[in-house]
Amino acid sequence: MATPQSVDTRLPFSRLLLFGIQHVLIMYTGCVTVPLVFGAAAGLDRTTIGILIGADLLVAGLITVVQSLGVGRVVGARLPIVCGATFVALTPMILIAQQYGLPAVYGSMLIGGVVGVALAWPFALIVRFFPPLVSGTVLTVVGISLIGVAGGLIVGSDAKAASFGAPGRIAVAAQILLTSGITLAAATSFGLNLVFNHTRIGAFARSRTVESGSERVDFGQ
């Protein structure tokens, strides 16, 4: 009998559980952060933002199941791929919402999904021509473009408000960044090999800033 490759080896239940929790936490952070940042930038009320978060988590879970198990011979990679929200489309979504409103965002997302499915197979043939340098540059540009939004979530969006730039807001953000760094360093030193990167740490910090200081953050009500 052929020996299975290391990538196909079934790990012990304890490690599967640990990696499963890790994947869920990373997916949840990305799924929650995107609606929070979008909602704050677009001036949505908390009820609408909550609906967006719920829809995001539902769709991400369904797509994760489809990608992992597959449907027939066409749909799904049949790999343990955890699907979550992407920050790539966040800036265009914010600009569309500010100029045309939320229905236009929904419509553009539906059209973008159809175009994305149509281009998936042709793009798979040329993906080898896009080295990590290209994808890294795109992620860097996306992160830089969101600095203003993240800063607004920390200090506030209304410069005339009494709480704008309050020390408490900045202290919460600094404490979260510090905690994230210590957690990452501790996890690495204990050999847990948690897969965090700078994008996810930044997303975690922004989401926790909004959640932990919810009474201080103005979502446009």
Side-chain angles (χ1 to χ4, degrees):
M1 179 180 295
T3 303
Q5 299 293 328
S6 59
V7 71
D8 297 320
T9 303
R10 186 174 182 84
L11 300 175
F13 177 78
S14 58
R15 297 189 66 184
L16 287 176
L17 179 62
L18 178 62
F19 290 145
I21 294 174
Q22 166 190 314
H23 277 58
V24 170
L25 290 176
I26 293 176
M27 180 194 74
Y28 182 83
T29 300
C31 288
V32 170
T33 305
V34 172
L36 286 176
V37 175
F38 171 75
L44 303 179
D45 58 83
R46 297 185 181 183
T47 301
T48 304
I49 294 176
I51 294 174
L52 292 178
I53 292 175
D56 198 340
L57 291 172
L58 175 62
V59 174
L62 293 175
I63 296 177
T64 298
V65 173
V66 171
Q67 285 281 44
S68 301
L69 301 180
V71 178
R73 293 179 173 270
V74 179
V75 181
R78 290 179 176 80
L79 294 173
I81 299 175
V82 177
C83 301
T86 175
F87 288 85
V88 174
L90 189 54
T91 300
M93 288 166 54
I94 293 173
L95 296 176
I96 293 173
Q98 291 175 343
Q99 187 167 357
Y100 300 105
L102 198 57
V105 176
Y106 295 152
S108 63
M109 291 176 65
L110 291 173
I111 296 175
V114 173
V115 174
V117 171
L119 295 178
W121 184 77
F123 185 79
L125 300 177
I126 62 174
V127 69
R128 62 180 181 274
F129 299 111
F130 292 85
L133 177 62
V134 176
S135 57
T137 302
V138 172
L139 291 177
T140 301
V141 172
V142 171
I144 293 176
S145 67
L146 294 175
I147 289 179
V149 177
L153 290 175
I154 295 174
V155 302
S157 57
D158 186 4
K160 298 181 180 179
S163 61
F164 180 80
R169 290 176 175 266
I170 300 175
V172 169
Q175 182 259 334
I176 292 170
L177 288 174
L178 180 61
T179 303
S180 300
I182 294 175
T183 302
L184 175 61
T188 303
S189 63
F190 281 108
L192 295 181
N193 195 26
L194 297 179
V195 185
F196 288 123
N197 53 43
H198 294 295
T199 302
R200 293 302 185 185
I201 292 176
F204 176 79
R206 289 191 294 270
S207 66
R208 293 305 300 162
T209 299
V210 176
E211 293 173 347
S212 61
S214 59
E215 73 280 359
R216 304 175 184 172
V217 178
D218 181 11
F219 283 111
Q221 283 188 326

